[in-house]
mmCIF file with all atom_site columns, all heavy atoms in Angstrom:
data_model
loop_
_atom_site.group_PDB
_atom_site.id
_atom_site.type_symbol
_atom_site.label_atom_id
_atom_site.label_alt_id
_atom_site.label_comp_id
_atom_site.label_asym_id
_atom_site.label_entity_id
_atom_site.label_seq_id
_atom_site.pdbx_PDB_ins_code
_atom_site.Cartn_x
_atom_site.Cartn_y
_atom_site.Cartn_z
_atom_site.occupancy
_atom_site.B_iso_or_equiv
_atom_site.pdbx_formal_charge
_atom_site.auth_seq_id
_atom_site.auth_comp_id
_atom_site.auth_asym_id
_atom_site.auth_atom_id
_atom_site.pdbx_PDB_model_num
ATOM 1   N N   . LEU A 1 1  ? 95.670  113.821 101.331 1.00 97.00 ? 145 LEU A N   1
ATOM 2   C CA  . LEU A 1 1  ? 94.943  113.478 102.549 1.00 97.00 ? 145 LEU A CA  1
ATOM 3   C C   . LEU A 1 1  ? 95.679  112.390 103.330 1.00 97.00 ? 145 LEU A C   1
ATOM 4   O O   . LEU A 1 1  ? 95.780  112.453 104.567 1.00 97.00 ? 145 LEU A O   1
ATOM 5   C CB  . LEU A 1 1  ? 93.523  113.018 102.209 1.00 97.00 ? 145 LEU A CB  1
ATOM 6   C CG  . LEU A 1 1  ? 92.559  114.102 101.706 1.00 97.00 ? 145 LEU A CG  1
ATOM 7   C CD1 . LEU A 1 1  ? 91.260  113.475 101.212 1.00 97.00 ? 145 LEU A CD1 1
ATOM 8   C CD2 . LEU A 1 1  ? 92.252  115.118 102.812 1.00 97.00 ? 145 LEU A CD2 1
ATOM 9   N N   . ASP A 1 2  ? 96.196  111.395 102.617 1.00 97.00 ? 146 ASP A N   1
ATOM 10  C CA  . ASP A 1 2  ? 96.994  110.353 103.268 1.00 97.00 ? 146 ASP A CA  1
ATOM 11  C C   . ASP A 1 2  ? 98.204  110.964 103.978 1.00 97.00 ? 146 ASP A C   1
ATOM 12  O O   . ASP A 1 2  ? 98.545  110.573 105.095 1.00 97.00 ? 146 ASP A O   1
ATOM 13  C CB  . ASP A 1 2  ? 97.476  109.334 102.233 1.00 97.00 ? 146 ASP A CB  1
ATOM 14  C CG  . ASP A 1 2  ? 96.520  108.153 102.078 1.00 97.00 ? 146 ASP A CG  1
ATOM 15  O OD1 . ASP A 1 2  ? 95.887  107.781 103.090 1.00 97.00 ? 146 ASP A OD1 1
ATOM 16  O OD2 . ASP A 1 2  ? 96.413  107.614 100.977 1.00 97.00 ? 146 ASP A OD2 1
ATOM 17  N N   . GLY A 1 3  ? 98.838  111.925 103.307 1.00 96.00 ? 147 GLY A N   1
ATOM 18  C CA  . GLY A 1 3  ? 100.004 112.580 103.890 1.00 96.00 ? 147 GLY A CA  1
ATOM 19  C C   . GLY A 1 3  ? 99.655  113.361 105.146 1.00 96.00 ? 147 GLY A C   1
ATOM 20  O O   . GLY A 1 3  ? 100.432 113.387 106.112 1.00 96.00 ? 147 GLY A O   1
ATOM 21  N N   . LEU A 1 4  ? 98.484  113.977 105.160 1.00 96.00 ? 148 LEU A N   1
ATOM 22  C CA  . LEU A 1 4  ? 98.051  114.736 106.337 1.00 96.00 ? 148 LEU A CA  1
ATOM 23  C C   . LEU A 1 4  ? 97.770  113.801 107.514 1.00 96.00 ? 148 LEU A C   1
ATOM 24  O O   . LEU A 1 4  ? 98.075  114.127 108.667 1.00 96.00 ? 148 LEU A O   1
ATOM 25  C CB  . LEU A 1 4  ? 96.806  115.562 106.006 1.00 96.00 ? 148 LEU A CB  1
ATOM 26  C CG  . LEU A 1 4  ? 97.052  116.732 105.041 1.00 96.00 ? 148 LEU A CG  1
ATOM 27  C CD1 . LEU A 1 4  ? 95.730  117.307 104.544 1.00 96.00 ? 148 LEU A CD1 1
ATOM 28  C CD2 . LEU A 1 4  ? 97.875  117.824 105.719 1.00 96.00 ? 148 LEU A CD2 1
ATOM 29  N N   . VAL A 1 5  ? 97.186  112.635 107.225 1.00 96.00 ? 149 VAL A N   1
ATOM 30  C CA  . VAL A 1 5  ? 96.970  111.646 108.288 1.00 96.00 ? 149 VAL A CA  1
ATOM 31  C C   . VAL A 1 5  ? 98.315  111.175 108.836 1.00 96.00 ? 149 VAL A C   1
ATOM 32  O O   . VAL A 1 5  ? 98.481  111.018 110.051 1.00 96.00 ? 149 VAL A O   1
ATOM 33  C CB  . VAL A 1 5  ? 96.149  110.448 107.775 1.00 96.00 ? 149 VAL A CB  1
ATOM 34  C CG1 . VAL A 1 5  ? 96.013  109.390 108.866 1.00 96.00 ? 149 VAL A CG1 1
ATOM 35  C CG2 . VAL A 1 5  ? 94.770  110.896 107.314 1.00 96.00 ? 149 VAL A CG2 1
ATOM 36  N N   . ALA A 1 6  ? 99.280  110.983 107.944 1.00 95.00 ? 150 ALA A N   1
ATOM 37  C CA  . ALA A 1 6  ? 100.615 110.571 108.382 1.00 95.00 ? 150 ALA A CA  1
ATOM 38  C C   . ALA A 1 6  ? 101.243 111.633 109.285 1.00 95.00 ? 150 ALA A C   1
ATOM 39  O O   . ALA A 1 6  ? 101.925 111.306 110.265 1.00 95.00 ? 150 ALA A O   1
ATOM 40  C CB  . ALA A 1 6  ? 101.499 110.309 107.171 1.00 95.00 ? 150 ALA A CB  1
ATOM 41  N N   . THR A 1 7  ? 101.005 112.896 108.960 1.00 94.00 ? 151 THR A N   1
ATOM 42  C CA  . THR A 1 7  ? 101.524 113.983 109.801 1.00 94.00 ? 151 THR A CA  1
ATOM 43  C C   . THR A 1 7  ? 100.869 113.952 111.177 1.00 94.00 ? 151 THR A C   1
ATOM 44  O O   . THR A 1 7  ? 101.539 114.120 112.206 1.00 94.00 ? 151 THR A O   1
ATOM 45  C CB  . THR A 1 7  ? 101.251 115.349 109.148 1.00 94.00 ? 151 THR A CB  1
ATOM 46  O OG1 . THR A 1 7  ? 101.929 115.415 107.889 1.00 94.00 ? 151 THR A OG1 1
ATOM 47  C CG2 . THR A 1 7  ? 101.724 116.491 110.035 1.00 94.00 ? 151 THR A CG2 1
ATOM 48  N N   . MET A 1 8  ? 99.561  113.736 111.225 1.00 92.00 ? 152 MET A N   1
ATOM 49  C CA  . MET A 1 8  ? 98.871  113.621 112.504 1.00 92.00 ? 152 MET A CA  1
ATOM 50  C C   . MET A 1 8  ? 99.440  112.462 113.320 1.00 92.00 ? 152 MET A C   1
ATOM 51  O O   . MET A 1 8  ? 99.636  112.567 114.535 1.00 92.00 ? 152 MET A O   1
ATOM 52  C CB  . MET A 1 8  ? 97.367  113.423 112.275 1.00 92.00 ? 152 MET A CB  1
ATOM 53  C CG  . MET A 1 8  ? 96.657  114.610 111.644 1.00 92.00 ? 152 MET A CG  1
ATOM 54  S SD  . MET A 1 8  ? 94.933  114.255 111.194 1.00 92.00 ? 152 MET A SD  1
ATOM 55  C CE  . MET A 1 8  ? 94.205  114.066 112.815 1.00 92.00 ? 152 MET A CE  1
ATOM 56  N N   . ARG A 1 9  ? 99.719  111.359 112.629 1.00 91.00 ? 153 ARG A N   1
ATOM 57  C CA  . ARG A 1 9  ? 100.230 110.176 113.315 1.00 91.00 ? 153 ARG A CA  1
ATOM 58  C C   . ARG A 1 9  ? 101.642 110.410 113.851 1.00 91.00 ? 153 ARG A C   1
ATOM 59  O O   . ARG A 1 9  ? 101.975 109.977 114.958 1.00 91.00 ? 153 ARG A O   1
ATOM 60  C CB  . ARG A 1 9  ? 100.224 108.987 112.350 1.00 91.00 ? 153 ARG A CB  1
ATOM 61  C CG  . ARG A 1 9  ? 100.544 107.638 112.989 1.00 91.00 ? 153 ARG A CG  1
ATOM 62  C CD  . ARG A 1 9  ? 100.447 106.522 111.984 1.00 91.00 ? 153 ARG A CD  1
ATOM 63  N NE  . ARG A 1 9  ? 99.078  106.303 111.540 1.00 91.00 ? 153 ARG A NE  1
ATOM 64  C CZ  . ARG A 1 9  ? 98.645  106.523 110.301 1.00 91.00 ? 153 ARG A CZ  1
ATOM 65  N NH1 . ARG A 1 9  ? 99.470  106.991 109.383 1.00 91.00 ? 153 ARG A NH1 1
ATOM 66  N NH2 . ARG A 1 9  ? 97.389  106.285 109.979 1.00 91.00 ? 153 ARG A NH2 1
ATOM 67  N N   . SER A 1 10 ? 102.460 111.112 113.094 1.00 91.00 ? 154 SER A N   1
ATOM 68  C CA  . SER A 1 10 ? 103.857 111.304 113.494 1.00 91.00 ? 154 SER A CA  1
ATOM 69  C C   . SER A 1 10 ? 104.032 112.396 114.543 1.00 91.00 ? 154 SER A C   1
ATOM 70  O O   . SER A 1 10 ? 104.931 112.329 115.374 1.00 91.00 ? 154 SER A O   1
ATOM 71  C CB  . SER A 1 10 ? 104.720 111.636 112.269 1.00 91.00 ? 154 SER A CB  1
ATOM 72  O OG  . SER A 1 10 ? 104.321 112.865 111.687 1.00 91.00 ? 154 SER A OG  1
ATOM 73  N N   . THR A 1 11 ? 103.153 113.408 114.506 1.00 87.00 ? 155 THR A N   1
ATOM 74  C CA  . THR A 1 11 ? 103.293 114.509 115.466 1.00 87.00 ? 155 THR A CA  1
ATOM 75  C C   . THR A 1 11 ? 102.564 114.221 116.763 1.00 87.00 ? 155 THR A C   1
ATOM 76  O O   . THR A 1 11 ? 103.080 114.487 117.852 1.00 87.00 ? 155 THR A O   1
ATOM 77  C CB  . THR A 1 11 ? 102.772 115.832 114.882 1.00 87.00 ? 155 THR A CB  1
ATOM 78  O OG1 . THR A 1 11 ? 101.394 115.668 114.490 1.00 87.00 ? 155 THR A OG1 1
ATOM 79  C CG2 . THR A 1 11 ? 103.597 116.256 113.674 1.00 87.00 ? 155 THR A CG2 1
ATOM 80  N N   . GLY A 1 12 ? 101.345 113.680 116.660 1.00 77.00 ? 156 GLY A N   1
ATOM 81  C CA  . GLY A 1 12 ? 100.560 113.423 117.851 1.00 77.00 ? 156 GLY A CA  1
ATOM 82  C C   . GLY A 1 12 ? 99.925  114.696 118.381 1.00 77.00 ? 156 GLY A C   1
ATOM 83  O O   . GLY A 1 12 ? 100.404 115.805 118.121 1.00 77.00 ? 156 GLY A O   1
ATOM 84  N N   . SER A 1 13 ? 98.848  114.557 119.130 1.00 64.00 ? 157 SER A N   1
ATOM 85  C CA  . SER A 1 13 ? 98.121  115.725 119.626 1.00 64.00 ? 157 SER A CA  1
ATOM 86  C C   . SER A 1 13 ? 98.933  116.529 120.621 1.00 64.00 ? 157 SER A C   1
ATOM 87  O O   . SER A 1 13 ? 98.679  117.715 120.820 1.00 64.00 ? 157 SER A O   1
ATOM 88  C CB  . SER A 1 13 ? 96.803  115.288 120.275 1.00 64.00 ? 157 SER A CB  1
ATOM 89  O OG  . SER A 1 13 ? 97.061  114.414 121.366 1.00 64.00 ? 157 SER A OG  1
ATOM 90  N N   . GLY A 1 14 ? 99.910  115.890 121.268 1.00 67.00 ? 158 GLY A N   1
ATOM 91  C CA  . GLY A 1 14 ? 100.738 116.616 122.223 1.00 67.00 ? 158 GLY A CA  1
ATOM 92  C C   . GLY A 1 14 ? 101.567 117.696 121.571 1.00 67.00 ? 158 GLY A C   1
ATOM 93  O O   . GLY A 1 14 ? 101.961 118.675 122.218 1.00 67.00 ? 158 GLY A O   1
ATOM 94  N N   . ASP A 1 15 ? 101.808 117.541 120.261 1.00 60.00 ? 159 ASP A N   1
ATOM 95  C CA  . ASP A 1 15 ? 102.565 118.560 119.531 1.00 60.00 ? 159 ASP A CA  1
ATOM 96  C C   . ASP A 1 15 ? 101.764 119.849 119.408 1.00 60.00 ? 159 ASP A C   1
ATOM 97  O O   . ASP A 1 15 ? 102.322 120.937 119.332 1.00 60.00 ? 159 ASP A O   1
ATOM 98  C CB  . ASP A 1 15 ? 102.934 118.032 118.132 1.00 60.00 ? 159 ASP A CB  1
ATOM 99  C CG  . ASP A 1 15 ? 103.516 119.089 117.230 1.00 60.00 ? 159 ASP A CG  1
ATOM 100 O OD1 . ASP A 1 15 ? 104.673 119.482 117.449 1.00 60.00 ? 159 ASP A OD1 1
ATOM 101 O OD2 . ASP A 1 15 ? 102.794 119.546 116.319 1.00 60.00 ? 159 ASP A OD2 1
ATOM 102 N N   . GLY A 1 16 ? 100.448 119.708 119.411 1.00 59.00 ? 160 GLY A N   1
ATOM 103 C CA  . GLY A 1 16 ? 99.593  120.892 119.336 1.00 59.00 ? 160 GLY A CA  1
ATOM 104 C C   . GLY A 1 16 ? 99.476  121.404 117.913 1.00 59.00 ? 160 GLY A C   1
ATOM 105 O O   . GLY A 1 16 ? 98.578  121.031 117.178 1.00 59.00 ? 160 GLY A O   1
ATOM 106 N N   . HIS A 1 17 ? 100.409 122.244 117.493 1.00 71.00 ? 161 HIS A N   1
ATOM 107 C CA  . HIS A 1 17 ? 100.273 122.941 116.222 1.00 71.00 ? 161 HIS A CA  1
ATOM 108 C C   . HIS A 1 17 ? 100.276 121.979 115.031 1.00 71.00 ? 161 HIS A C   1
ATOM 109 O O   . HIS A 1 17 ? 99.406  122.072 114.161 1.00 71.00 ? 161 HIS A O   1
ATOM 110 C CB  . HIS A 1 17 ? 101.396 123.960 116.067 1.00 71.00 ? 161 HIS A CB  1
ATOM 111 C CG  . HIS A 1 17 ? 101.363 124.678 114.752 1.00 71.00 ? 161 HIS A CG  1
ATOM 112 N ND1 . HIS A 1 17 ? 100.392 125.605 114.437 1.00 71.00 ? 161 HIS A ND1 1
ATOM 113 C CD2 . HIS A 1 17 ? 102.153 124.561 113.642 1.00 71.00 ? 161 HIS A CD2 1
ATOM 114 C CE1 . HIS A 1 17 ? 100.598 126.047 113.202 1.00 71.00 ? 161 HIS A CE1 1
ATOM 115 N NE2 . HIS A 1 17 ? 101.649 125.426 112.702 1.00 71.00 ? 161 HIS A NE2 1
ATOM 116 N N   . GLY A 1 18 ? 101.241 121.067 114.967 1.00 83.00 ? 162 GLY A N   1
ATOM 117 C CA  . GLY A 1 18 ? 101.348 120.190 113.809 1.00 83.00 ? 162 GLY A CA  1
ATOM 118 C C   . GLY A 1 18 ? 100.131 119.316 113.629 1.00 83.00 ? 162 GLY A C   1
ATOM 119 O O   . GLY A 1 18 ? 99.602  119.168 112.519 1.00 83.00 ? 162 GLY A O   1
ATOM 120 N N   . PHE A 1 19 ? 99.660  118.730 114.705 1.00 86.00 ? 163 PHE A N   1
ATOM 121 C CA  . PHE A 1 19 ? 98.487  117.859 114.671 1.00 86.00 ? 163 PHE A CA  1
ATOM 122 C C   . PHE A 1 19 ? 97.249  118.648 114.258 1.00 86.00 ? 163 PHE A C   1
ATOM 123 O O   . PHE A 1 19 ? 96.498  118.240 113.373 1.00 86.00 ? 163 PHE A O   1
ATOM 124 C CB  . PHE A 1 19 ? 98.293  117.239 116.054 1.00 86.00 ? 163 PHE A CB  1
ATOM 125 C CG  . PHE A 1 19 ? 97.217  116.195 116.132 1.00 86.00 ? 163 PHE A CG  1
ATOM 126 C CD1 . PHE A 1 19 ? 97.524  114.854 115.965 1.00 86.00 ? 163 PHE A CD1 1
ATOM 127 C CD2 . PHE A 1 19 ? 95.896  116.545 116.385 1.00 86.00 ? 163 PHE A CD2 1
ATOM 128 C CE1 . PHE A 1 19 ? 96.538  113.873 116.048 1.00 86.00 ? 163 PHE A CE1 1
ATOM 129 C CE2 . PHE A 1 19 ? 94.900  115.581 116.465 1.00 86.00 ? 163 PHE A CE2 1
ATOM 130 C CZ  . PHE A 1 19 ? 95.229  114.235 116.300 1.00 86.00 ? 163 PHE A CZ  1
ATOM 131 N N   . VAL A 1 20 ? 97.049  119.783 114.903 1.00 85.00 ? 164 VAL A N   1
ATOM 132 C CA  . VAL A 1 20 ? 95.869  120.608 114.633 1.00 85.00 ? 164 VAL A CA  1
ATOM 133 C C   . VAL A 1 20 ? 95.895  121.157 113.210 1.00 85.00 ? 164 VAL A C   1
ATOM 134 O O   . VAL A 1 20 ? 94.875  121.165 112.512 1.00 85.00 ? 164 VAL A O   1
ATOM 135 C CB  . VAL A 1 20 ? 95.774  121.756 115.654 1.00 85.00 ? 164 VAL A CB  1
ATOM 136 C CG1 . VAL A 1 20 ? 94.696  122.757 115.262 1.00 85.00 ? 164 VAL A CG1 1
ATOM 137 C CG2 . VAL A 1 20 ? 95.501  121.211 117.047 1.00 85.00 ? 164 VAL A CG2 1
ATOM 138 N N   . ALA A 1 21 ? 97.062  121.610 112.760 1.00 89.00 ? 165 ALA A N   1
ATOM 139 C CA  . ALA A 1 21 ? 97.178  122.159 111.403 1.00 89.00 ? 165 ALA A CA  1
ATOM 140 C C   . ALA A 1 21 ? 96.871  121.095 110.358 1.00 89.00 ? 165 ALA A C   1
ATOM 141 O O   . ALA A 1 21 ? 96.201  121.369 109.347 1.00 89.00 ? 165 ALA A O   1
ATOM 142 C CB  . ALA A 1 21 ? 98.580  122.731 111.187 1.00 89.00 ? 165 ALA A CB  1
ATOM 143 N N   . ALA A 1 22 ? 97.359  119.870 110.592 1.00 92.00 ? 166 ALA A N   1
ATOM 144 C CA  . ALA A 1 22 ? 97.093  118.786 109.654 1.00 92.00 ? 166 ALA A CA  1
ATOM 145 C C   . ALA A 1 22 ? 95.607  118.430 109.648 1.00 92.00 ? 166 ALA A C   1
ATOM 146 O O   . ALA A 1 22 ? 95.029  118.164 108.590 1.00 92.00 ? 166 ALA A O   1
ATOM 147 C CB  . ALA A 1 22 ? 97.938  117.570 110.015 1.00 92.00 ? 166 ALA A CB  1
ATOM 148 N N   . ASP A 1 23 ? 94.995  118.427 110.831 1.00 90.00 ? 167 ASP A N   1
ATOM 149 C CA  . ASP A 1 23 ? 93.562  118.139 110.945 1.00 90.00 ? 167 ASP A CA  1
ATOM 150 C C   . ASP A 1 23 ? 92.750  119.185 110.181 1.00 90.00 ? 167 ASP A C   1
ATOM 151 O O   . ASP A 1 23 ? 91.818  118.860 109.426 1.00 90.00 ? 167 ASP A O   1
ATOM 152 C CB  . ASP A 1 23 ? 93.174  118.130 112.422 1.00 90.00 ? 167 ASP A CB  1
ATOM 153 C CG  . ASP A 1 23 ? 91.787  117.539 112.662 1.00 90.00 ? 167 ASP A CG  1
ATOM 154 O OD1 . ASP A 1 23 ? 91.090  117.244 111.678 1.00 90.00 ? 167 ASP A OD1 1
ATOM 155 O OD2 . ASP A 1 23 ? 91.400  117.388 113.829 1.00 90.00 ? 167 ASP A OD2 1
ATOM 156 N N   . ARG A 1 24 ? 93.101  120.452 110.349 1.00 90.00 ? 168 ARG A N   1
ATOM 157 C CA  . ARG A 1 24 ? 92.377  121.531 109.674 1.00 90.00 ? 168 ARG A CA  1
ATOM 158 C C   . ARG A 1 24 ? 92.531  121.407 108.158 1.00 90.00 ? 168 ARG A C   1
ATOM 159 O O   . ARG A 1 24 ? 91.558  121.524 107.396 1.00 90.00 ? 168 ARG A O   1
ATOM 160 C CB  . ARG A 1 24 ? 92.885  122.896 110.134 1.00 90.00 ? 168 ARG A CB  1
ATOM 161 C CG  . ARG A 1 24 ? 92.089  124.078 109.583 1.00 90.00 ? 168 ARG A CG  1
ATOM 162 C CD  . ARG A 1 24 ? 92.693  125.408 110.000 1.00 90.00 ? 168 ARG A CD  1
ATOM 163 N NE  . ARG A 1 24 ? 91.778  126.516 109.792 1.00 90.00 ? 168 ARG A NE  1
ATOM 164 C CZ  . ARG A 1 24 ? 91.554  127.092 108.598 1.00 90.00 ? 168 ARG A CZ  1
ATOM 165 N NH1 . ARG A 1 24 ? 92.173  126.660 107.518 1.00 90.00 ? 168 ARG A NH1 1
ATOM 166 N NH2 . ARG A 1 24 ? 90.698  128.106 108.506 1.00 90.00 ? 168 ARG A NH2 1
ATOM 167 N N   . ALA A 1 25 ? 93.774  121.186 107.710 1.00 94.00 ? 169 ALA A N   1
ATOM 168 C CA  . ALA A 1 25 ? 94.036  121.057 106.275 1.00 94.00 ? 169 ALA A CA  1
ATOM 169 C C   . ALA A 1 25 ? 93.282  119.868 105.687 1.00 94.00 ? 169 ALA A C   1
ATOM 170 O O   . ALA A 1 25 ? 92.805  119.918 104.548 1.00 94.00 ? 169 ALA A O   1
ATOM 171 C CB  . ALA A 1 25 ? 95.533  120.910 106.034 1.00 94.00 ? 169 ALA A CB  1
ATOM 172 N N   . PHE A 1 26 ? 93.165  118.798 106.471 1.00 95.00 ? 170 PHE A N   1
ATOM 173 C CA  . PHE A 1 26 ? 92.445  117.600 106.029 1.00 95.00 ? 170 PHE A CA  1
ATOM 174 C C   . PHE A 1 26 ? 90.991  117.941 105.706 1.00 95.00 ? 170 PHE A C   1
ATOM 175 O O   . PHE A 1 26 ? 90.485  117.617 104.623 1.00 95.00 ? 170 PHE A O   1
ATOM 176 C CB  . PHE A 1 26 ? 92.513  116.537 107.132 1.00 95.00 ? 170 PHE A CB  1
ATOM 177 C CG  . PHE A 1 26 ? 91.861  115.226 106.774 1.00 95.00 ? 170 PHE A CG  1
ATOM 178 C CD1 . PHE A 1 26 ? 92.619  114.164 106.304 1.00 95.00 ? 170 PHE A CD1 1
ATOM 179 C CD2 . PHE A 1 26 ? 90.486  115.046 106.921 1.00 95.00 ? 170 PHE A CD2 1
ATOM 180 C CE1 . PHE A 1 26 ? 92.026  112.942 105.979 1.00 95.00 ? 170 PHE A CE1 1
ATOM 181 C CE2 . PHE A 1 26 ? 89.879  113.836 106.597 1.00 95.00 ? 170 PHE A CE2 1
ATOM 182 C CZ  . PHE A 1 26 ? 90.648  112.781 106.131 1.00 95.00 ? 170 PHE A CZ  1
ATOM 183 N N   . HIS A 1 27 ? 90.314  118.609 106.634 1.00 92.00 ? 171 HIS A N   1
ATOM 184 C CA  . HIS A 1 27 ? 88.893  118.900 106.432 1.00 92.00 ? 171 HIS A CA  1
ATOM 185 C C   . HIS A 1 27 ? 88.676  119.995 105.383 1.00 92.00 ? 171 HIS A C   1
ATOM 186 O O   . HIS A 1 27 ? 87.648  120.004 104.704 1.00 92.00 ? 171 HIS A O   1
ATOM 187 C CB  . HIS A 1 27 ? 88.251  119.273 107.765 1.00 92.00 ? 171 HIS A CB  1
ATOM 188 C CG  . HIS A 1 27 ? 88.092  118.088 108.676 1.00 92.00 ? 171 HIS A CG  1
ATOM 189 N ND1 . HIS A 1 27 ? 87.051  117.199 108.577 1.00 92.00 ? 171 HIS A ND1 1
ATOM 190 C CD2 . HIS A 1 27 ? 88.889  117.631 109.679 1.00 92.00 ? 171 HIS A CD2 1
ATOM 191 C CE1 . HIS A 1 27 ? 87.192  116.248 109.487 1.00 92.00 ? 171 HIS A CE1 1
ATOM 192 N NE2 . HIS A 1 27 ? 88.288  116.485 110.168 1.00 92.00 ? 171 HIS A NE2 1
ATOM 193 N N   . ALA A 1 28 ? 89.646  120.882 105.235 1.00 92.00 ? 172 ALA A N   1
ATOM 194 C CA  . ALA A 1 28 ? 89.554  121.887 104.174 1.00 92.00 ? 172 ALA A CA  1
ATOM 195 C C   . ALA A 1 28 ? 89.635  121.215 102.806 1.00 92.00 ? 172 ALA A C   1
ATOM 196 O O   . ALA A 1 28 ? 88.862  121.532 101.884 1.00 92.00 ? 172 ALA A O   1
ATOM 197 C CB  . ALA A 1 28 ? 90.671  122.923 104.329 1.00 92.00 ? 172 ALA A CB  1
ATOM 198 N N   . LEU A 1 29 ? 90.566  120.272 102.666 1.00 94.00 ? 173 LEU A N   1
ATOM 199 C CA  . LEU A 1 29 ? 90.741  119.586 101.385 1.00 94.00 ? 173 LEU A CA  1
ATOM 200 C C   . LEU A 1 29 ? 89.573  118.655 101.099 1.00 94.00 ? 173 LEU A C   1
ATOM 201 O O   . LEU A 1 29 ? 89.205  118.444 99.941  1.00 94.00 ? 173 LEU A O   1
ATOM 202 C CB  . LEU A 1 29 ? 92.053  118.794 101.392 1.00 94.00 ? 173 LEU A CB  1
ATOM 203 C CG  . LEU A 1 29 ? 92.418  118.039 100.107 1.00 94.00 ? 173 LEU A CG  1
ATOM 204 C CD1 . LEU A 1 29 ? 92.416  118.989 98.900  1.00 94.00 ? 173 LEU A CD1 1
ATOM 205 C CD2 . LEU A 1 29 ? 93.779  117.363 100.255 1.00 94.00 ? 173 LEU A CD2 1
ATOM 206 N N   . LEU A 1 30 ? 88.969  118.123 102.152 1.00 92.00 ? 174 LEU A N   1
ATOM 207 C CA  . LEU A 1 30 ? 87.870  117.186 101.968 1.00 92.00 ? 174 LEU A CA  1
ATOM 208 C C   . LEU A 1 30 ? 86.701  117.826 101.221 1.00 92.00 ? 174 LEU A C   1
ATOM 209 O O   . LEU A 1 30 ? 86.060  117.177 100.389 1.00 92.00 ? 174 LEU A O   1
ATOM 210 C CB  . LEU A 1 30 ? 87.408  116.676 103.338 1.00 92.00 ? 174 LEU A CB  1
ATOM 211 C CG  . LEU A 1 30 ? 86.658  115.347 103.387 1.00 92.00 ? 174 LEU A CG  1
ATOM 212 C CD1 . LEU A 1 30 ? 87.528  114.218 102.863 1.00 92.00 ? 174 LEU A CD1 1
ATOM 213 C CD2 . LEU A 1 30 ? 86.200  115.050 104.806 1.00 92.00 ? 174 LEU A CD2 1
#
């Protein structure tokens, strides 16, 4: 989960796919 937050932080919402994919994976794992 920490790694997924780091991915969101490094890609940013402007990246689109990376940010969204990390967000989805975060809530799935939760």
Side-chain angles (χ1 to χ4, degrees):
L145 289 172
D146 268 327
L148 291 168
V149 176
T151 298
M152 294 172 68
R153 188 177 292 114
S154 64
T155 57
S157 60
D159 171 73
H161 177 71
F163 187 93
V164 171
D167 193 354
R168 186 184 195 281
F170 183 97
H171 288 278
L173 182 54
L174 202 61

